């Protein structure tokens, strides 16, 4: 049986000969940005301009896609917008110890051109689609 503790981690116990893994999420790291591929050159958009007072944890994929679409209309060009959430915590390792590392990652990429959504994708790691703008 597993249940959540007050820190959001899973608390496990032995069930017969099987052990439930214990995972404590300690930190969250967000990377939120956009690139506007304008005729005059690429414009990097910082997270603050995208968030506009919203906490990073509260930014939804729909809100980021809306920003991307609106920026592509306003600038009449292609816009890439993305966010990456990495959860750091103690992960069990095979030798019985633990290590502090990324235990979960969620990546979201949206690409729009002149108001048309070309790509909207959520993955567990960055792939070659983001490589051209990072």
């Amino acid at each position: 049986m597993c249940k959540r503790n007050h820190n959001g981690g899973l608390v496990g116990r032995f069930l017969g000969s099987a052990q439930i893994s214990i995972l404590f999420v300690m930190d969250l790291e967000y990377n939120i940005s956009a690139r506007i591929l304008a005729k005059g050159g690429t414009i990097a958009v910082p997270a603050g301009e995208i968030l506009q007072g919203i906490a990073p944890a509260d930014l939804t994929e729909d809100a980021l896609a809306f920003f991307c679409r609106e920026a592509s209309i306003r600038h009449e060009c292609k816009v890439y917008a993305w966010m990456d959430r990495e959860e750091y915590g103690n992960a069990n390792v095979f030798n019985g110890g633990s290590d502090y590392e990324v235990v979960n990652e969620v990546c979201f990429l949206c690409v729009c051109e002149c108001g048309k959504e070309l790509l909207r994708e959520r993955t567990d790691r960055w792939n070659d689609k983001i490589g051209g703008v990072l």
Side-chain angles (χ1 to χ4, degrees), residues 23-27 87-91 99-104:
L23 170 69
F24 293 101
V25 175
M26 307 229 176
D27 292 310
E87 298 174 1
Y88 287 83
N90 289 328
D99 194 16
Y100 191 72
E101 61 185 36
V102 175
V103 293
N104 189 36

Side-chain angles (χ1 to χ4, degrees), residues 21-42:
S21 295
I22 299 173
L23 170 69
F24 293 101
V25 175
M26 307 229 176
D27 292 310
L28 293 173
E29 182 177 303
Y30 293 89
N31 174 15
I32 300 166
S33 194
R35 296 281 188 274
I36 299 170
L37 307 181
K39 293 173 184 136
T42 300

Side-chain angles (χ1 to χ4, degrees), residues 50-118:
I50 298 167
L51 292 170
Q52 298 181 10
I54 299 172
D58 295 333
L59 181 67
T60 65
E61 293 173 4
D62 288 338
L64 187 61
F66 179 80
F67 170 86
C68 186
R69 192 170 34 259
E70 292 298 307
S72 74
I73 292 169
R74 189 170 50 255
H75 294 278
E76 298 177 341
C77 65
K78 187 179 279 188
V79 176
Y80 286 74
W82 64 89
M83 67 178 164
D84 173 39
R85 185 187 77 222
E86 294 178 337
E87 298 174 1
Y88 287 83
N90 289 328
N92 290 334
V93 294
F94 293 108
N95 65 4
S98 65
D99 194 16
Y100 191 72
E101 61 185 36
V102 175
V103 293
N104 189 36
E105 184 171 19
V106 177
C107 304
F108 175 74
L109 172 63
C110 184
V111 181
C112 295
E113 186 167 14
C114 299
K116 182 180 178 188
E117 193 172 284
L118 303 177

